Amino acid sequence: MNALLLSLRHLLRSTRLIGLLYGITLVLGLLVALPFYSTLQAEDQDSRAFLNLLDGFDYTVYADFMQRSERVIDPLLSVGRWLGVLFVFLSVFLAGGILNIFAQPSRRFDAGLFWQVCTAYFGRFLQLLGVTTLFLLVGAGLWLVAGLLVGIVLSDTLTERGLFWVGLGFFSLFALTATLLFCIGDYAKVIMFRDDEPNAFRAFGRAGRLVMRNLPRTYGLYWLFIGIGAALFGLYFLIDGLIPMRNTPTILLMFLVQQALVLARTALKAWALGTAYQVYLSLPAPVRTVLPSQADLTVIQPGQPDPY
């Protein structure tokens, strides 16, 4: 918990970093939101049916609109999907700069240095993304394939409820494996940054051993952040249910609530990476054993990078 609180204090002192990350997210979101809004205004033909959406999702309104305007909306949806891919690469690009902020908490935020560090580590972290994706497809994907095969084999003997529980069990195993691999990926970023490790496979392997040996302090904290993120979404949906968007003030209020959620989620991602950095520093560095026949009997001191 000391690493969690320490990284939180460092994050709260880095308001410029949070503002920068939020601004980037906002600008990229507006690239899709503004054209989408203009298109909806042009395609709604002054229909008041869209007012029904203020009280919640109405599939009839959605189906009628898509049947009439799908050719116009599909390109915007495609842009939205590509924007999601861009966000993944953007998070990889920003990771180096975020880690550098937590590595030098007393230093004043320098935007030029931030972008310089982001650029310097982008290549390494991009390789790590490929390694993480490979392990995700092989490790976590096997559970989905196994679940599908088991479902096919047992389709004649189990009821729909039984098949549902089988599918849920394998999906849970997939989720646990995937989140574990993502957690390992975060610690691999820390290792590549802190220890200047250029090899993504070696960093991922060291991070995997580190996480497995310290599950409560690594994977446990990772799930804590997942829980906090889920709680934020739950709070948003609760507020959304309490505030009906029927006029300009309530719509404006919900817009502010949505932006507060985006800001909180942005800060949460930076906090999670900063916590991984602090946890890595707090873990004891084991002594590296060397064969007696070797001339150099160097021992790794606690202040030096550990050989996980």
Side-chain angles (χ1 to χ4, degrees):
M1 294 301 290
N2 290 336
L4 186 71
L5 297 177
L6 183 60
S7 61
L8 178 60
R9 286 199 296 269
H10 291 170
L11 179 67
L12 294 177
R13 289 200 296 264
S14 305
T15 54
R16 292 186 179 183
L17 170 65
I18 299 174
L20 176 63
L21 298 179
Y22 169 74
I24 295 172
T25 304
L26 180 62
V27 169
L28 291 179
L30 289 176
L31 291 178
V32 176
L34 292 179
F36 200 87
Y37 177 72
S38 300
T39 303
L40 288 179
Q41 278 191 320
E43 292 292 322
D44 67 359
Q45 300 176 358
D46 296 326
S47 174
R48 301 187 63 84
F50 285 96
L51 297 177
N52 296 332
L53 297 177
L54 294 177
D55 295 326
F57 180 74
D58 189 323
Y59 181 76
T60 301
V61 175
Y62 169 78
D64 291 343
F65 176 75
M66 290 301 294
Q67 184 176 4
R68 185 181 71 247
S69 306
E70 184 175 5
R71 61 178 181 81
V72 180
I73 298 298
D74 273 350
L76 294 176
L77 296 178
S78 177
V79 172
R81 289 190 290 268
W82 281 109
L83 184 62
V85 176
L86 177 61
F87 268 113
V88 173
F89 285 97
L90 181 63
S91 65
V92 174
F93 176 74
L94 296 174
I98 294 173
L99 286 171
N100 191 59
I101 294 297
F102 284 96
Q104 305 180 63
S106 60
R107 182 168 184 166
R108 185 178 178 85
F109 179 77
D110 184 339
L113 178 62
F114 178 81
W115 295 121
Q116 182 180 353
V117 177
C118 288
T119 304
Y121 285 91
F122 178 63
R124 293 186 182 185
F125 290 166
L126 193 60
Q127 295 177 26
L128 180 61
L129 175 64
V131 173
T132 305
T133 303
L134 176 63
F135 278 96
L136 184 66
L137 293 175
V138 176
L142 286 178
W143 292 117
L144 296 181
V145 175
L148 178 63
L149 294 177
V150 171
I152 294 175
V153 171
L154 300 179
S155 59
D156 295 332
T157 58
L158 293 179
T159 62
E160 290 184 358
R161 177 177 294 183
L163 291 175
F164 168 78
W165 287 112
V166 170
L168 181 62
F170 278 98
F171 180 79
S172 299
L173 292 173
F174 163 79
L176 289 173
T177 305
T179 52
L180 177 63
L181 291 173
F182 285 134
C183 176
I184 293 173
D186 279 353
Y187 282 90
K189 289 178 184 176
V190 175
I191 290 174
M192 298 184 80
F193 174 85
R194 177 70 182 179
D195 297 351
D196 195 26
E197 173 59 73
N199 190 294
F201 273 102
R202 188 161 53 235
F204 196 88
R206 288 178 56 188
R209 293 190 293 272
L210 173 71
V211 170
M212 296 307 295
R213 292 173 182 173
N214 302 274
L215 278 176
R217 299 178 64 181
T218 55
Y219 190 49
L221 285 178
Y222 191 84
W223 266 100
L224 176 62
F225 284 109
I226 293 177
I228 294 174
L232 289 175
F233 275 109
L235 180 61
Y236 167 76
F237 288 124
L238 177 62
I239 297 175
D240 182 55
L242 295 175
I243 302 178
M245 292 188 291
R246 299 183 182 277
N247 49 50
T248 301
T250 55
I251 293 176
L252 179 60
L253 178 59
M254 283 308 302
F255 172 77
L256 294 177
V257 172
Q258 291 170 357
Q259 293 308 303
L261 175 65
V262 173
L263 180 63
R265 290 283 299 174
T266 301
L268 186 64
K269 292 178 181 179
W271 184 19
L273 191 57
T275 299
Y277 181 84
Q278 295 298 333
V279 168
Y280 180 73
L281 294 183
S282 67
L283 293 175
V287 176
R288 182 172 59 188
T289 57
V290 185
L291 294 177
S293 59
Q294 291 180 330
D296 183 12
L297 299 179
T298 303
V299 176
I300 299 299
Q301 300 299 327
Q304 295 177 339
D306 68 41
Y308 278 117

